[in-house]
Coordinates of all heavy atoms in Angstrom, one line a residue:
M1 N 0.8 -1.2 0.0 CA 0.0 0.0 0.0 C 0.9 1.3 0.0 O 0.5 2.3 -0.6 CB -0.9 0.0 1.2 CG -1.9 1.0 1.2 SD -3.1 0.8 -0.1 CE -4.2 2.1 0.1
T2 N 2.0 1.2 0.7 CA 2.9 2.4 0.7 C 3.4 2.7 -0.6 O 3.5 3.9 -1.0 CB 4.1 2.0 1.7 OG1 3.6 1.7 3.0 CG2 5.0 3.2 1.8
Y3 N 3.7 1.7 -1.4 CA 4.2 2.0 -2.8 C 3.2 2.6 -3.6 O 3.4 3.5 -4.4 CB 4.7 0.7 -3.4 CG 5.9 0.1 -2.8 CD1 5.9 -1.2 -2.3 CD2 7.1 0.8 -2.7 CE1 7.0 -1.8 -1.7 CE2 8.2 0.3 -2.1 CZ 8.2 -1.0 -1.6 OH 9.3 -1.6 -1.0
L4 N 1.9 2.2 -3.5 CA 0.8 2.7 -4.3 C 0.6 4.2 -3.9 O 0.4 5.0 -4.8 CB -0.4 1.9 -4.1 CG -1.7 2.3 -4.8 CD1 -1.4 2.3 -6.3 CD2 -2.9 1.5 -4.4
L5 N 0.5 4.5 -2.6 CA 0.3 5.8 -2.2 C 1.5 6.8 -2.6 O 1.2 7.9 -3.1 CB 0.2 5.9 -0.6 CG -1.1 5.4 -0.1 CD1 -1.0 5.3 1.5 CD2 -2.3 6.1 -0.5
S6 N 2.7 6.3 -2.6 CA 3.8 7.1 -3.0 C 3.7 7.4 -4.5 O 4.0 8.5 -5.0 CB 5.1 6.3 -2.7 OG 5.3 6.1 -1.3
Y7 N 3.4 6.4 -5.3 CA 3.2 6.5 -6.7 C 2.1 7.5 -7.1 O 2.3 8.3 -7.9 CB 3.0 5.1 -7.3 CG 2.8 5.1 -8.8 CD1 3.9 5.3 -9.6 CD2 1.6 5.0 -9.4 CE1 3.8 5.3 -11.0 CE2 1.4 5.1 -10.8 CZ 2.5 5.2 -11.6 OH 2.4 5.2 -12.9
L8 N 1.0 7.3 -6.4 CA -0.1 8.2 -6.6 C 0.2 9.7 -6.3 O -0.2 10.6 -7.1 CB -1.4 7.7 -5.9 CG -2.0 6.5 -6.4 CD1 -3.2 6.1 -5.5 CD2 -2.5 6.6 -7.8
Y9 N 0.8 9.9 -5.2 CA 1.2 11.3 -4.8 C 2.1 11.9 -5.9 O 1.8 13.0 -6.3 CB 1.8 11.3 -3.5 CG 2.2 12.7 -3.0 CD1 1.2 13.6 -2.5 CD2 3.5 13.2 -3.1 CE1 1.6 14.8 -2.1 CE2 3.9 14.4 -2.7 CZ 2.9 15.3 -2.2 OH 3.2 16.5 -1.9
C10 N 3.1 11.3 -6.2 CA 4.1 11.8 -7.2 C 3.3 12.0 -8.6 O 3.6 13.0 -9.3 CB 5.3 10.9 -7.4 SG 6.4 10.9 -6.0
G11 N 2.5 11.0 -8.9 CA 1.8 11.1 -10.2 C 0.8 12.3 -10.2 O 0.7 13.0 -11.2
I12 N 0.1 12.5 -9.1 CA -0.8 13.7 -9.0 C -0.1 15.0 -9.1 O -0.5 15.9 -9.9 CB -1.6 13.6 -7.8 CG1 -2.6 12.4 -7.9 CG2 -2.4 14.9 -7.5 CD1 -3.4 12.1 -6.6
V13 N 1.1 15.1 -8.4 CA 1.8 16.3 -8.5 C 2.3 16.6 -9.9 O 2.2 17.7 -10.5 CB 3.0 16.3 -7.5 CG1 4.0 17.5 -7.8 CG2 2.5 16.3 -6.1
C14 N 2.8 15.6 -10.6 CA 3.3 15.7 -11.9 C 2.2 16.0 -12.9 O 2.3 16.8 -13.8 CB 4.1 14.5 -12.4 SG 5.6 14.2 -11.5
A15 N 1.1 15.3 -12.8 CA -0.1 15.5 -13.7 C -0.6 17.0 -13.5 O -0.9 17.6 -14.5 CB -1.2 14.5 -13.4
V16 N -0.8 17.4 -12.3 CA -1.3 18.8 -12.1 C -0.3 19.8 -12.7 O -0.7 20.8 -13.4 CB -1.5 19.1 -10.6 CG1 -1.8 20.6 -10.4 CG2 -2.7 18.3 -10.1
S17 N 1.0 19.6 -12.5 CA 2.0 20.5 -13.0 C 2.0 20.5 -14.6 O 2.1 21.6 -15.2 CB 3.4 20.1 -12.5 OG 3.5 20.2 -11.2
Q18 N 1.9 19.4 -15.2 CA 1.8 19.3 -16.6 C 0.6 19.9 -17.2 O 0.6 20.6 -18.2 CB 1.9 17.8 -17.1 CG 2.0 17.6 -18.6 CD 3.3 18.2 -19.1 OE1 4.4 18.1 -18.5 NE2 3.2 18.8 -20.3
Y19 N -0.5 19.7 -16.5 CA -1.8 20.4 -16.9 C -1.7 21.9 -16.9 O -2.1 22.6 -17.8 CB -2.9 19.9 -16.0 CG -4.3 20.5 -16.4 CD1 -5.0 20.0 -17.5 CD2 -4.8 21.6 -15.7 CE1 -6.2 20.5 -17.9 CE2 -6.0 22.1 -16.1 CZ -6.7 21.6 -17.2 OH -7.9 22.1 -17.5
V20 N -1.1 22.4 -15.8 CA -0.9 23.9 -15.7 C 0.0 24.4 -16.8 O -0.2 25.4 -17.4 CB -0.3 24.2 -14.3 CG1 0.1 25.7 -14.3 CG2 -1.4 23.9 -13.3
I21 N 1.1 23.6 -17.1 CA 2.0 24.1 -18.2 C 1.3 24.1 -19.5 O 1.5 25.0 -20.3 CB 3.2 23.1 -18.3 CG1 4.2 23.4 -17.1 CG2 4.0 23.3 -19.6 CD1 5.3 22.4 -17.0
E22 N 0.4 23.1 -19.8 CA -0.2 23.0 -21.1 C -1.4 24.1 -21.2 O -1.6 24.5 -22.3 CB -0.8 21.6 -21.3 CG 0.3 20.6 -21.6 CD -0.3 19.2 -21.7 OE1 -1.5 19.0 -21.7 OE2 0.6 18.3 -21.8
K23 N -2.0 24.4 -20.1 CA -3.2 25.3 -20.2 C -2.9 26.7 -20.0 O -3.7 27.6 -20.2 CB -4.3 24.8 -19.2 CG -4.8 23.5 -19.6 CD -5.5 23.5 -20.9 CE -6.1 22.1 -21.2 NZ -6.7 22.0 -22.5
T24 N -1.7 27.1 -19.5 CA -1.3 28.5 -19.3 C 0.0 28.8 -20.0 O 0.5 27.9 -20.7 CB -1.1 28.7 -17.8 OG1 0.0 27.9 -17.3 CG2 -2.3 28.4 -17.0
K25 N 0.4 30.0 -19.9 CA 1.6 30.4 -20.6 C 2.8 30.3 -19.6 O 3.9 30.9 -19.9 CB 1.5 31.8 -21.1 CG 0.5 32.0 -22.2 CD 0.5 33.4 -22.7 CE -0.6 33.5 -23.9 NZ -0.6 34.8 -24.4
L26 N 2.7 29.6 -18.5 CA 3.8 29.5 -17.6 C 4.8 28.5 -18.1 O 4.5 27.5 -18.8 CB 3.2 29.0 -16.2 CG 2.3 29.9 -15.5 CD1 1.7 29.2 -14.2 CD2 2.9 31.2 -15.1
T27 N 6.0 28.8 -17.8 CA 7.1 27.9 -18.2 C 7.5 26.9 -17.1 O 7.0 27.1 -15.9 CB 8.4 28.8 -18.5 OG1 8.8 29.4 -17.3 CG2 8.1 29.8 -19.5
P28 N 8.2 25.9 -17.4 CA 8.6 25.0 -16.3 C 9.4 25.6 -15.1 O 9.2 25.2 -14.0 CB 9.5 24.0 -17.0 CG 9.0 24.0 -18.4 CD 8.6 25.4 -18.7
G29 N 10.1 26.7 -15.4 CA 10.7 27.4 -14.3 C 9.7 28.1 -13.4 O 9.9 28.1 -12.2
H30 N 8.6 28.6 -14.0 CA 7.6 29.2 -13.1 C 6.9 28.1 -12.3 O 6.6 28.3 -11.1 CB 6.5 29.8 -14.0 CG 6.9 31.1 -14.7 ND1 7.1 31.1 -16.0 CD2 7.2 32.3 -14.2 CE1 7.5 32.3 -16.4 NE2 7.5 33.1 -15.3
I31 N 6.7 26.9 -12.9 CA 6.0 25.8 -12.1 C 7.0 25.3 -11.0 O 6.5 25.1 -9.9 CB 5.7 24.7 -13.1 CG1 4.7 25.1 -14.2 CG2 5.1 23.5 -12.3 CD1 3.4 25.7 -13.7
N32 N 8.3 25.2 -11.3 CA 9.2 24.8 -10.3 C 9.3 25.7 -9.1 O 9.2 25.3 -8.0 CB 10.6 24.7 -11.0 CG 11.6 24.1 -10.2 OD1 11.3 23.4 -9.2 ND2 12.9 24.2 -10.6
T33 N 9.3 27.0 -9.4 CA 9.3 28.0 -8.3 C 8.0 28.0 -7.6 O 8.0 28.1 -6.3 CB 9.5 29.4 -8.9 OG1 10.7 29.4 -9.7 CG2 9.7 30.5 -7.8
S34 N 6.9 27.8 -8.3 CA 5.6 27.8 -7.6 C 5.5 26.6 -6.7 O 5.0 26.7 -5.5 CB 4.5 27.7 -8.6 OG 4.5 28.8 -9.4
L35 N 6.0 25.4 -7.1 CA 6.0 24.2 -6.3 C 6.9 24.4 -5.0 O 6.5 23.9 -3.9 CB 6.4 23.0 -7.1 CG 5.4 22.5 -8.1 CD1 5.9 21.4 -9.0 CD2 4.1 22.1 -7.5
V36 N 8.0 25.0 -5.2 CA 8.9 25.2 -4.0 C 8.1 26.1 -3.0 O 8.1 25.9 -1.8 CB 10.2 25.8 -4.4 CG1 11.0 26.2 -3.2 CG2 11.0 24.8 -5.2
I37 N 7.5 27.2 -3.5 CA 6.8 28.1 -2.6 C 5.6 27.4 -1.9 O 5.3 27.6 -0.8 CB 6.4 29.4 -3.4 CG1 7.6 30.2 -3.8 CG2 5.4 30.2 -2.6 CD1 7.4 31.3 -4.7
I38 N 4.9 26.6 -2.7 CA 3.8 25.9 -2.1 C 4.3 24.9 -1.0 O 3.6 24.8 0.0 CB 3.0 25.1 -3.2 CG1 2.3 26.1 -4.1 CG2 2.0 24.1 -2.6 CD1 1.7 25.4 -5.4
G39 N 5.4 24.3 -1.3 CA 6.0 23.4 -0.2 C 6.4 24.2 1.0 O 6.2 23.7 2.1
C40 N 6.9 25.4 0.8 CA 7.2 26.3 2.0 C 6.0 26.6 2.8 O 6.0 26.6 4.0 CB 7.9 27.5 1.5 SG 9.6 27.3 0.9
I41 N 4.9 27.0 2.0 CA 3.7 27.4 2.7 C 3.1 26.2 3.5 O 2.7 26.3 4.6 CB 2.7 27.9 1.7 CG1 3.2 29.3 1.2 CG2 1.3 28.1 2.3 CD1 2.4 29.8 0.0
L42 N 3.0 25.0 2.8 CA 2.5 23.8 3.5 C 3.3 23.5 4.7 O 2.8 23.0 5.7 CB 2.4 22.7 2.5 CG 1.4 22.8 1.4 CD1 1.5 21.6 0.4 CD2 0.0 22.9 1.9
S43 N 4.6 23.6 4.6 CA 5.5 23.3 5.8 C 5.3 24.3 6.9 O 5.3 24.0 8.1 CB 6.9 23.3 5.3 OG 7.8 22.9 6.4
G44 N 5.1 25.6 6.5 CA 4.9 26.6 7.5 C 3.7 26.4 8.3 O 3.6 26.7 9.5
F45 N 2.6 25.9 7.7 CA 1.4 25.6 8.4 C 1.3 24.1 9.0 O 0.3 23.7 9.4 CB 0.2 25.8 7.5 CG -0.1 27.3 7.3 CD1 0.1 27.8 6.0 CD2 -0.4 28.1 8.3 CE1 -0.1 29.2 5.8 CE2 -0.7 29.5 8.1 CZ -0.5 30.0 6.8
K46 N 2.5 23.4 8.9 CA 2.6 22.1 9.4 C 1.7 21.1 8.7 O 1.3 20.0 9.2 CB 2.3 22.0 10.9 CG 3.1 22.9 11.8 CD 4.5 22.5 11.8 CE 5.3 23.4 12.8 NZ 6.7 23.3 12.5
I47 N 1.3 21.4 7.5 CA 0.5 20.5 6.7 C 1.3 19.5 6.0 O 0.9 18.3 5.8 CB -0.4 21.3 5.6 CG1 -1.3 22.2 6.4 CG2 -1.1 20.4 4.7 CD1 -2.0 23.2 5.5
Y48 N 2.5 19.9 5.6 CA 3.4 18.9 4.8 C 3.8 17.8 5.7 O 4.0 16.7 5.2 CB 4.6 19.6 4.2 CG 5.1 18.9 3.0 CD1 4.5 19.1 1.8 CD2 6.2 18.1 3.1 CE1 5.0 18.4 0.6 CE2 6.6 17.4 2.0 CZ 6.0 17.6 0.8 OH 6.5 16.9 -0.4
D49 N 4.0 18.0 7.0 CA 4.3 16.9 7.9 C 3.2 15.8 7.9 O 3.5 14.6 7.9 CB 4.5 17.4 9.3 CG 5.8 18.2 9.4 OD1 6.7 18.0 8.7 OD2 5.7 19.2 10.3
K50 N 2.0 16.2 7.8 CA 0.9 15.2 7.7 C 0.8 14.5 6.4 O 0.5 13.4 6.3 CB -0.5 16.0 8.0 CG -0.6 16.5 9.4 CD -1.8 17.2 9.6 CE -1.8 17.8 11.1 NZ -2.9 18.7 11.4
I51 N 1.2 15.3 5.3 CA 1.3 14.6 4.0 C 2.4 13.6 4.0 O 2.2 12.5 3.4 CB 1.6 15.7 2.9 CG1 0.4 16.6 2.8 CG2 1.9 15.1 1.6 CD1 0.6 17.8 1.9
I52 N 3.5 13.8 4.6 CA 4.6 12.8 4.7 C 4.1 11.6 5.5 O 4.5 10.5 5.1 CB 5.8 13.5 5.4 CG1 6.5 14.5 4.4 CG2 6.9 12.4 5.8 CD1 7.6 15.3 5.0
E53 N 3.3 11.8 6.6 CA 2.8 10.7 7.3 C 1.9 9.8 6.5 O 1.9 8.6 6.6 CB 2.1 11.1 8.5 CG 2.9 11.7 9.6 CD 2.1 12.3 10.8 OE1 0.9 12.0 10.8 OE2 2.7 12.9 11.6
I54 N 1.2 10.4 5.6 CA 0.2 9.6 4.7 C 0.9 9.0 3.6 O 0.7 7.8 3.3 CB -0.9 10.6 4.2 CG1 -1.7 11.1 5.4 CG2 -1.8 9.8 3.2 CD1 -2.7 12.2 5.1
F55 N 1.7 9.7 2.8 CA 2.3 9.3 1.6 C 3.7 8.8 1.7 O 4.3 8.4 0.7 CB 2.2 10.4 0.5 CG 0.8 10.7 0.1 CD1 0.2 11.9 0.6 CD2 0.0 9.8 -0.6 CE1 -1.1 12.2 0.3 CE2 -1.3 10.1 -0.9 CZ -1.8 11.3 -0.5
H56 N 4.3 8.9 2.8 CA 5.7 8.3 3.1 C 6.7 8.9 2.2 O 6.8 10.1 2.0 CB 5.6 6.8 3.2 CG 4.6 6.3 4.1 ND1 4.7 6.3 5.5 CD2 3.4 5.7 3.9 CE1 3.7 5.8 6.0 NE2 2.8 5.4 5.1
A57 N 7.5 8.0 1.6 CA 8.6 8.4 0.7 C 8.2 9.1 -0.5 O 8.9 9.9 -1.1 CB 9.5 7.2 0.4
G58 N 7.0 8.9 -1.0 CA 6.5 9.5 -2.2 C 6.4 11.0 -2.1 O 6.6 11.7 -3.1
S59 N 6.2 11.5 -0.9 CA 6.1 12.9 -0.7 C 7.5 13.6 -0.5 O 7.6 14.8 -0.5 CB 5.3 13.2 0.5 OG 5.8 12.6 1.7
C60 N 8.5 12.7 -0.4 CA 9.9 13.3 -0.2 C 10.6 13.3 -1.5 O 11.8 13.8 -1.6 CB 10.7 12.4 0.8 SG 10.0 12.4 2.4
V61 N 10.0 13.0 -2.6 CA 10.6 13.0 -3.9 C 10.4 14.2 -4.7 O 11.3 14.8 -5.2 CB 10.2 11.7 -4.7 CG1 10.8 11.8 -6.1 CG2 10.7 10.4 -4.0
P62 N 9.1 14.7 -4.8 CA 8.9 15.9 -5.6 C 9.5 17.2 -5.1 O 10.0 17.2 -4.0 CB 7.3 16.1 -5.6 CG 6.8 14.8 -5.1 CD 7.9 14.2 -4.2
I63 N 9.5 18.2 -5.9 CA 10.1 19.5 -5.6 C 9.4 20.2 -4.5 O 10.0 21.0 -3.8 CB 10.1 20.4 -6.9 CG1 11.1 21.6 -6.7 CG2 8.7 20.8 -7.3 CD1 12.5 21.2 -6.7
L64 N 8.2 19.8 -4.1 CA 7.5 20.3 -3.0 C 8.3 20.1 -1.7 O 8.3 20.9 -0.8 CB 6.1 19.7 -2.8 CG 5.1 20.1 -3.8 CD1 3.9 19.1 -3.7 CD2 4.7 21.5 -3.6
N65 N 9.0 18.9 -1.6 CA 9.8 18.6 -0.5 C 10.9 19.5 -0.3 O 11.4 19.8 0.8 CB 10.3 17.1 -0.6 CG 10.9 16.7 0.7 OD1 10.3 16.8 1.8 ND2 12.1 16.2 0.6
F66 N 11.5 20.1 -1.4 CA 12.6 21.1 -1.2 C 12.1 22.3 -0.4 O 12.9 22.8 0.5 CB 13.1 21.5 -2.6 CG 14.3 22.4 -2.5 CD1 15.5 22.0 -2.0 CD2 14.1 23.7 -3.0 CE1 16.6 22.9 -2.0 CE2 15.2 24.6 -2.9 CZ 16.4 24.2 -2.4
G67 N 10.9 22.8 -0.7 CA 10.4 23.9 0.1 C 10.2 23.5 1.5 O 10.5 24.3 2.4
H68 N 9.7 22.3 1.7 CA 9.5 21.8 3.1 C 10.9 21.8 3.9 O 10.9 22.2 5.0 CB 8.9 20.4 3.1 CG 8.9 19.7 4.4 ND1 8.2 20.2 5.5 CD2 9.5 18.6 4.8 CE1 8.4 19.3 6.5 NE2 9.2 18.4 6.1
L69 N 11.9 21.3 3.2 CA 13.2 21.2 3.8 C 13.8 22.6 4.1 O 14.4 22.7 5.2 CB 14.2 20.4 2.9 CG 13.9 18.9 2.8 CD1 14.8 18.3 1.8 CD2 13.9 18.2 4.2
L70 N 13.6 23.5 3.3 CA 14.0 24.9 3.5 C 13.4 25.5 4.8 O 14.1 26.0 5.6 CB 13.7 25.8 2.3 CG 14.5 25.6 1.1 CD1 14.0 26.5 -0.1 CD2 16.0 25.9 1.3
V71 N 12.1 25.3 4.9 CA 11.4 25.9 6.0 C 11.7 25.2 7.3 O 11.9 25.8 8.4 CB 9.9 26.0 5.8 CG1 9.1 26.4 7.0 CG2 9.6 26.9 4.6
S72 N 11.7 23.8 7.2 CA 11.9 23.1 8.5 C 13.4 23.3 8.9 O 13.6 23.4 10.1 CB 11.6 21.6 8.2 OG 12.5 21.0 7.2
G73 N 14.3 23.4 8.0 CA 15.7 23.6 8.4 C 15.9 25.0 9.0 O 16.6 25.2 10.0
A74 N 15.2 26.0 8.4 CA 15.3 27.4 8.9 C 14.7 27.5 10.3 O 15.2 28.1 11.2 CB 14.7 28.3 8.0
S75 N 13.5 26.9 10.5 CA 12.8 26.9 11.8 C 13.6 26.2 12.9 O 13.6 26.6 14.0 CB 11.4 26.4 11.7 OG 11.4 25.1 11.3
E76 N 14.2 25.0 12.5 CA 15.0 24.3 13.4 C 16.2 25.1 13.9 O 16.6 25.1 15.1 CB 15.4 23.0 12.8 CG 16.2 22.1 13.8 CD 16.6 20.8 13.2 OE1 15.7 20.2 12.4 OE2 17.7 20.3 13.5
G77 N 16.9 25.8 12.9 CA 18.0 26.6 13.3 C 17.6 27.8 14.1 O 18.3 28.2 15.1
Y78 N 16.5 28.3 13.8 CA 16.0 29.5 14.7 C 15.7 29.0 16.1 O 16.0 29.7 17.0 CB 14.7 30.1 14.0 CG 14.1 31.1 14.9 CD1 14.7 32.4 14.9 CD2 12.9 30.9 15.6 CE1 14.1 33.4 15.7 CE2 12.4 31.9 16.4 CZ 13.0 33.1 16.4 OH 12.4 34.1 17.2
M79 N 15.0 27.9 16.2 CA 14.7 27.4 17.6 C 16.0 27.0 18.3 O 16.0 27.2 19.6 CB 13.8 26.1 17.5 CG 12.5 26.4 16.8 SD 11.6 27.7 17.7 CE 10.6 26.7 18.8
Q80 N 17.0 26.5 17.6 CA 18.2 26.1 18.3 C 19.2 27.3 18.6 O 19.7 27.4 19.7 CB 19.0 25.1 17.5 CG 20.2 24.5 18.2 CD 20.7 23.3 17.3 OE1 20.4 23.1 16.2 NE2 21.7 22.7 17.9
Y81 N 19.3 28.2 17.7 CA 20.3 29.3 17.9 C 19.7 30.7 18.1 O 20.4 31.6 18.3 CB 21.2 29.3 16.7 CG 22.0 28.1 16.5 CD1 21.8 27.2 15.4 CD2 23.0 27.7 17.4 CE1 22.5 26.1 15.3 CE2 23.7 26.5 17.3 CZ 23.4 25.7 16.2 OH 24.1 24.6 16.0
G82 N 18.4 30.8 17.8 CA 17.7 32.1 18.1 C 17.8 33.1 16.9 O 18.3 33.0 15.9

């Protein structure tokens, strides 16, 4: 079941991104930046942690995870060093 959930999560992220590229004038660079920002926002509201609990390793592969890692690393550093 874990493999299926991981596959579905990555597939949905990729399908939505491809749909946005095809239906708008946005470039892959715009989509990439948008996904990082969305990952930052989800991590800031602690939503991405719940996504990781549900989809396991599949949520750690897409570019959304990069935004999550940026925010979680910055907040951990702030909590540790002020």
Side-chain angles (χ1 to χ4, degrees):
M1 189 65 176
T2 302
Y3 295 121
L4 180 63
L5 287 175
S6 299
Y7 180 77
L8 288 176
Y9 179 78
C10 290
I12 289 170
V13 169
C14 292
V16 168
S17 299
Q18 187 64 38
Y19 181 78
V20 170
I21 288 173
E22 290 178 4
K23 295 298 181 184
T24 64
K25 293 183 179 181
L26 297 176
T27 64
H30 290 108
I31 301 300
N32 190 12
T33 305
S34 300
L35 288 174
V36 171
I37 292 171
I38 290 169
C40 290
I41 292 169
L42 291 175
S43 181
F45 289 113
K46 306 291 184 199
I47 297 171
Y48 205 81
D49 292 328
K50 294 176 184 174
I51 292 173
I52 290 175
E53 289 176 8
I54 296 169
F55 296 107
H56 306 288
S59 60
C60 295
V61 175
I63 193 71
L64 290 167
N65 188 51
F66 182 68
H68 168 66
L69 292 176
L70 287 174
V71 171
S72 63
S75 64
E76 184 178 321
Y78 175 75
M79 296 303 269
Q80 188 173 5
Y81 299 111

